[in-house]
Amino acid sequence: MGRIRKKQNAIELIKEYSWLKQNSDDIRFNNNPIYLEIGTGKGEFILTNAKKFPNINFFGIEKDTTIVWKALKKISASNEKLNNLFIINDDVIRINDWLGDFKVSKIYINFPDPWFKKRHSQNRLTSLKFLSLYNDILLPNCEIELKTDNQNLFEFSIDNINESKKFIIVYLTKDLYKDNKMLQQNILTEYEERFVKQNKQIFKIIFRKCN
């Protein structure tokens, strides 16, 4: 994906933006559904969704402060008054500290770090550890969508989803861009746009939490 050049004062710069929530008391969800994006990237995906679906709360978590700054800059440049968009700078492993008693209705995992080495496999966002976390925060019968350009992560995810017994796969494809029906509702991320231009396959899985 390429190395992101760190912005030295990003931790101070991000505080200028109202969409950044600095502690759990700063978050005021309404009664609308909460959709969580894990790893916001530069913000294109969550921004597009928040504009398109004003009656859904879009909640993005990203642990890299420089990337959070880039996402917030993009959101600000859109000149949109988005009261349904919340961004936090943290690791998803602490998501329960932010959500409190709230549960989410959908989770998006877009092009996560594949953690190529086997010894790092528990860091993958579809490892059993993380699937257990998602099971805790997701409402029954609600879905998680994963997109990746990495076939090993795709296959690893399928194995863990099946092993977990907490979810059921409802859709999968090894080449999203050959599925015209699914593409009609697809929203690109910055990485995805780059990968498509490189003619890379885009893998996708949708899996649903069991009752």
Side-chain angles (χ1 to χ4, degrees):
M1 291 183 185
R3 187 180 294 268
I4 298 291
R5 180 176 294 178
K6 300 294 182 182
K7 186 75 173 177
Q8 288 187 344
N9 57 339
I11 196 166
E12 295 301 323
L13 291 172
I14 63 176
K15 295 176 183 178
E16 301 174 6
Y17 298 93
S18 61
W19 297 282
L20 179 78
K21 304 307 171 185
Q22 299 186 53
N23 57 68
S24 58
D25 294 333
D26 200 21
I27 298 174
R28 294 288 184 270
F29 290 125
N30 54 30
N31 292 325
N32 291 334
I34 302 168
Y35 284 17
L36 173 67
E37 183 185 17
I38 301 173
T40 59
K42 296 177 184 177
E44 184 65 31
F45 181 85
I46 200 167
L47 172 60
T48 302
N49 271 297
K51 290 191 292 185
K52 189 174 181 180
F53 303 106
N55 294 322
I56 295 173
N57 295 303
F58 286 92
F59 189 33
I61 183 166
E62 170 61 59
K63 65 181 179 180
D64 188 301
T65 307
T66 297
I67 294 178
V68 169
W69 172 65
K70 289 177 180 291
L72 290 168
K73 280 207 309 177
K74 181 184 287 287
I75 294 165
S76 181
S78 73
N79 293 315
E80 298 280 350
K81 294 182 178 179
L82 297 169
N83 297 319
N84 64 327
L85 182 54
F86 308 81
I87 303 292
I88 60 173
N89 181 199
D90 204 350
D91 193 308
V92 70
I93 203 70
R94 290 183 286 276
I95 190 64
N96 270 312
D97 295 339
W98 293 90
L99 286 171
D101 294 332
F102 289 100
K103 299 291 184 182
V104 301
S105 298
K106 196 176 194 74
I107 297 174
Y108 297 103
I109 309 172
N110 292 315
F111 302 95
D113 189 334
W115 291 96
F116 294 104
K117 294 181 180 179
K118 188 174 181 179
R119 69 176 182 271
H120 295 150
S121 64
Q122 287 308 302
N123 294 328
R124 296 170 190 161
L125 288 178
T126 49
S127 68
L128 292 174
K129 173 182 72 175
F130 284 106
L131 291 178
S132 180
L133 174 63
Y134 308 151
N135 184 63
D136 287 342
I137 65 173
L138 193 64
L139 290 167
N141 297 311
C142 289
E143 293 178 345
I144 301 174
E145 295 192 8
L146 168 73
K147 285 194 286 188
T148 180
D149 65 310
N150 186 278
Q151 185 168 355
N152 288 335
L153 179 60
F154 174 73
E155 293 171 353
F156 171 88
S157 301
I158 292 171
D159 290 342
N160 279 333
I161 292 164
N162 290 331
E163 184 179 344
S164 76
K165 309 295 185 184
K166 300 177 187 298
F167 301 93
I168 183 169
I169 294 173
V170 296
Y171 172 85
L172 59 82
T173 179
K174 293 183 177 180
D175 197 342
L176 176 60
Y177 281 75
K178 288 184 178 179
D179 186 335
N180 291 329
K181 184 177 179 180
M182 186 61 70
L183 273 180
Q184 291 175 8
Q185 53 188 296
N186 185 55
I187 294 176
L188 275 80
T189 73
E190 292 89 353
Y191 286 130
E192 183 175 357
E193 186 173 10
R194 185 192 309 172
F195 295 149
V196 171
K197 288 179 180 177
Q198 296 171 351
N199 294 316
K200 286 190 174 184
Q201 286 177 251
I202 304 299
F203 302 86
K204 182 166 184 173
I205 310 172
I206 301 176
F207 48 109
R208 181 181 300 140
K209 179 178 174 178
C210 301
N211 291 336

